[in-house]
Amino acid sequence: MWLRRTAVCAMVVPLAFLVLRDAPVRLAAPERTTAKPATSPGAPRPTIVSRAEWHADEGLVKEGAVYTGTVKAVFVHHTGHTNAYDCVDAPKMLRAMEETHVRGEGWDDIGYNFVVDRCGTIYEGRAGGVGRSVRGAHATGFNAHSVGIAALGTFDPGVRVPKALIEGIAKVGAWKLDRAVDPRGIVRMVSTNDESLYRRGEVVYLHAVAGHRDTFQTYCPGEALYARLPAIRAEMARIRAAARTS
């Protein structure tokens, strides 16, 4: 199967035209598909800090959640924040991000389904229920049947990606990804938006665990984190193997 890589695109497009700060893109007409009954997950549910626990402002949410079918792909992002934060301040950073996404950018809610800080703590992002297939606003053209996981920070070349962060992304990804999908494998997706790197209706073969740049003209999730995607895939596979033998 042919895998189209956008890293090539990133090399030929002037940096000034790339989206350097990761942020969800306003959705076109939402696809209100009926969610299929959930199958048993491929890995245990990790500990997740709920929106209530990080004190999300639910009054900011403009529309109710839209649900799609089983999660076929995981898209990894970064948020563009400084890396020199204390993890105890992550909830405050999430509240500020929620306000920026909604009031500043005009989106309905935080675009990412989950956010993971550098200490490995997993936070509920977009509202609608962590155990359900909530359609995010994190990957234009590929929001359906996917989950968006954002690393809190910025991962330029040479930045060290904390092991705890890799493990946190892997834990929630292993749980959310359809148990029939190999985290190290390739999945078939169909673009729903011409604003992605692919025409609407175009069939695309992607890594089951991909970077935002694989479907959109963006620098996200940064060179350092993008280079660690193989490690995240391997950790997800390890978590699932351990779950099968436990």
Side-chain angles (χ1 to χ4, degrees):
M1 292 181 290
W2 174 62
L3 176 64
R4 181 171 173 179
R5 292 288 305 279
T6 64
V8 176
C9 177
M11 288 192 297
V12 298
V13 178
L15 193 59
F17 292 96
L18 295 178
V19 180
L20 299 181
R21 182 179 68 84
D22 187 36
V25 179
R26 183 185 296 277
L27 296 175
E31 294 181 358
R32 296 187 176 272
T33 57
T34 301
K36 298 179 180 179
T39 57
S40 57
R45 171 177 166 167
T47 300
I48 300 169
V49 178
S50 71
R51 289 171 63 92
E53 290 172 311
W54 62 261
H55 300 295
D57 185 349
E58 302 300 353
L60 289 176
V61 180
K62 295 180 180 179
E63 293 186 6
V66 176
Y67 299 99
T68 68
T70 182
V71 173
K72 298 179 181 178
V74 173
F75 288 105
V76 178
H77 304 256
H78 69 178
T79 64
H81 289 85
T82 176
N83 297 322
Y85 62 86
D86 191 315
C87 291
V88 73
D89 293 326
K92 179 173 64 178
M93 296 166 70
L94 288 174
R95 290 192 294 272
M97 183 165 63
E98 179 191 23
E99 184 166 359
T100 297
H101 281 190
V102 178
R103 288 180 174 164
E105 304 292 350
W107 294 306
D108 295 334
D109 191 4
I110 287 179
Y112 319 115
N113 299 105
F114 299 93
V115 178
V116 182
D117 70 20
R118 65 186 184 87
C119 295
T121 304
I122 303 166
Y123 295 87
E124 178 183 8
R126 197 167 184 84
V130 296
R132 304 184 67 182
S133 296
V134 179
R135 174 175 173 154
H138 58 91
T140 300
F142 298 89
N143 287 305
H145 303 285
S146 72
V147 62
I149 306 174
L152 195 63
T154 302
F155 298 93
D156 294 330
V159 171
R160 186 184 71 84
V161 181
K163 180 181 179 183
L165 175 60
I166 291 173
E167 292 174 344
I169 294 173
K171 286 176 184 177
V172 68
W175 172 58
K176 291 297 293 184
L177 187 66
D178 188 303
R179 67 178 300 141
V181 178
D182 183 348
R184 299 160 298 185
I186 302 296
V187 294
R188 180 185 185 275
M189 304 286 283
V190 179
S191 174
T192 63
N193 194 319
D194 289 332
E195 292 184 12
S196 76
L197 291 176
Y198 303 92
R199 298 183 303 276
R200 181 175 182 176
E202 184 175 353
V203 174
V204 184
Y205 292 95
L206 301 167
H207 286 290
V209 181
H212 187 193
R213 65 172 65 179
D214 289 328
T215 60
F216 193 69
Q217 186 174 293
T218 176
Y219 176 70
C220 175
E223 294 295 333
L225 185 53
Y226 192 80
R228 300 298 287 158
L229 291 184
I232 292 172
R233 297 175 191 128
E235 179 62 11
M236 286 174 61
R238 187 199 67 76
I239 291 170
R240 288 190 159 192
R244 288 194 298 269
T245 58
S246 62

